[in-house]
Amino acid sequence: MPLDREELLHAYRVMKTIRVFEERVHDEFATGEIEGFVHLYAGEEASAAGVMANLTRDDRIASTHRGHGHCIAKGVDVRGMMAEIYGRTTGVCHGKGGSMHIADLDEGMMGANGIVGGGPPLICGAALAAKVKGTRNVGVAFVGDGASNQGTTFESLNLATVWNLPAVFVAENNGYAEATSSRYSVGADSIADRAAGFGMPSVSVDGHDFFAVYEAAGEAISRARDGGGPSFVECRVNRYFGHFEGDAQTYRGPNEVEDLRANRDCIDLFRVAVTTSGDIAQADLDGIDSDVDTLIDSAVDEARSAPRPGANDLLTDVYVSY
Amino acid sequence: MARTITYQQAINEALDQEMGNDPSVILMGEDIVGGSGADGEMDAWGGPLGITKGLYPKYGDRVMDTPITESAFIGAAVGAAASGLRPVAELMFSDFMGVCFDQIYNQAAKFRYMFGGKAETPVVIRTMYGAGIRAAAQHSQSPYSIFTHVPGLKVVVPSNPYDAKGLLIQAIRDNDPVICFEHKSLYQTEGEVPEELYTLPFGEANVVREGGDVTIIALGLMVHRSLEAAETLAADGIECEVIDPRTTSPLDDETILESVESTGRVVIVDEASPRCSMATDISALIARDAFGSLEAPIQMVTPPHTPVPFAGSLEDLYVPDATKIETAVRQVAGYSR
Ligand SMILES: Cc1ncc(C[n+]2csc(CCOP(=O)(O)OP(=O)(O)O)c2C)c(N)n1
Ligand SMILES: [Mg+2]
């Protein structure tokens, strides 16, 4: 195993926290208590956990509209996240951002993003700041297969190479952009192959396999830290829920999700890997499961009883008073 | 024959009928079909809110899903328009204008004039705007005044199903680039709409309600909020004239000025940010051309100068509502020098 026991347990805790968080948000959204647009990350946990296991608190990431998993893996407080999604003053953005703009700059998380392709240019900037300041930090931009078609993504890949930035671009290819398959929208055989056209190395990995992601991202991130410039990592993943909460998903094939859940679930695969290797006992993982359940329960309870922002909050964090 | 349908159905019908009428009309946008390349159903979405549903099965390849690449597909619509088609491109949320602004602002808007009248660009961009559904800062804005500012563009903001259909057909037939701002909270509202094809001319305001005491000028969803306020005020003997300009470019100055000349008192209701907006623009028009008729300072009811907040408790304070409009009207009505 490339990771020690503590690191393995942490990786499991991260993935499990994301899963339970997302399943709970799915259920609570259905009650009508959570409002707005909510895009869930369940099914893709190994990507966030595998990438972020290589990052420090001072490294920066830019996420997407599907941002909860990236937040949790980067170390953003789960209670503050839940409160944000409920639109409460105790939320990480004091209720002003919501699910689609969840962010915590203190944890190096530069925001989920309502604009597809909004993140890659920002990460060029974060990487530039690290380079100018000489910190050895890196910036990681997450994009989906859909966002991989956006001009801002292509321009950022080029800029990162031209400026030799400590940046890594992670394309989470879950096969769909909303209701459109990447088989239709991506004009190349492989998203990873596109990177060559911008002069950077790339690799495509099975994003259900935490260890594959960890190693590929690790190599890219080390290269960036050492001044070797940007890289591109494609993680082939799947999303379990609809594009957003409320999506009937009639564009998906029959039993597509059931098959994935049964056979390619990243958390199940991780459990099997670490227990059969003998590194971790089932009981340790079960213990984490129950910690996580308790955490999410209390995050929801706290969020629900937290105050909603009011008139006094409307004109804060802005330079005008009208 | 008119029957009652929704704003959403009116838009769908306008697209359907004009596609049937004119083979040069094509549609493009993200998931306006839905299911492209996937194993399940085609026309799975018909747009995220189902506005274009049923058009792909009927018109096939003339209805195209696009990758998420607004700069390229909006630009392609512009180029196709300059090359003989009449494309109607759907930009899902008007907030995404930022991604493709150049193709609209520097390309489409300028061709006709800059090329000495040799180019026509009959492109239509349909886009969803407005706050109220907890969609937060990047999916809730009302940027129509930004486009009104750009010479060469025409800008349409329909407030009801009848206008939505007639103005959209006019937009498709118009030889200049037109942007149609559809309010996301209006799609399910109903109204009488003729079955047949018809157009409504641009630059003709609609006097939605007549009244002699105060003129309210409002666009889109704000027309409805203003009517609500007007009903309450009428019970107290204050009669409001509610004017819906319907298009911000061109703007029907005359109808606005005529009304102000008779009431002398004005409230402008605008869902967009308060600076450099339709509210300030119309206000300047009235101050310049109807100064002599004014009996009270012009009031503007707008959101605060902040991004749109997520939390429902904040968003409800942010968007102008009937109560705020009512307060402004009472102030204006009760003003004396
Ligand atoms: C500029 C822009 N265009 C379109 C959208 C609407 N939209 C939100 S998410 C999405 C699909 C994104 O697909 P992908 O990048 O594959 O990410 P996934 O949802 O699969 O995680 C679209 C089209 C948007 N938010 N911003
Ligand atoms: Mg995707």
Side-chain angles (χ1 to χ4, degrees), chain A residues 114 150 178-180 183-184 251 309, chain B residues 31 35 39-40 65 70 138 313:
Chain A
Q150 189 68 292
E178 294 188 343
T180 299
R183 291 196 291 255
Y184 173 83
Y251 50 86
Chain B
D31 297 289
D39 291 334
D65 272 338
E70 288 86 5
Q138 297 172 342
S313 56

Side-chain angles (χ1 to χ4, degrees), chain A residues 3 20 38 52 59 70 73 76 81 87 92 110-111 124 127 137 144 152 154 186 204 209-210 248 250 286 290 302 308:
Chain A
L3 293 144
V20 177
V38 173
M52 254 62 94
D59 292 322
H70 301 143
V76 180
M81 287 178 61
V92 285
M110 297 177 74
C124 287
N137 284 121
T152 49
F154 293 137
V186 177
S204 176
D209 178 350
F210 169 85
T250 55
D286 294 344
S290 76
E302 278 175 33
R308 295 174 196 272

Side-chain angles (χ1 to χ4, degrees), chain A residues 144-146 172 174-177:
Chain A
D145 47 289
E172 295 181 317
N174 61 10
Y176 296 95

Side-chain angles (χ1 to χ4, degrees), chain B residues 102-113:
Chain B
D102 180 70
Q103 293 295 322
I104 300 169
Y105 167 72
N106 276 318
Q107 312 303 330
K110 300 195 170 36
F111 287 172
R112 181 166 148 207
Y113 186 86

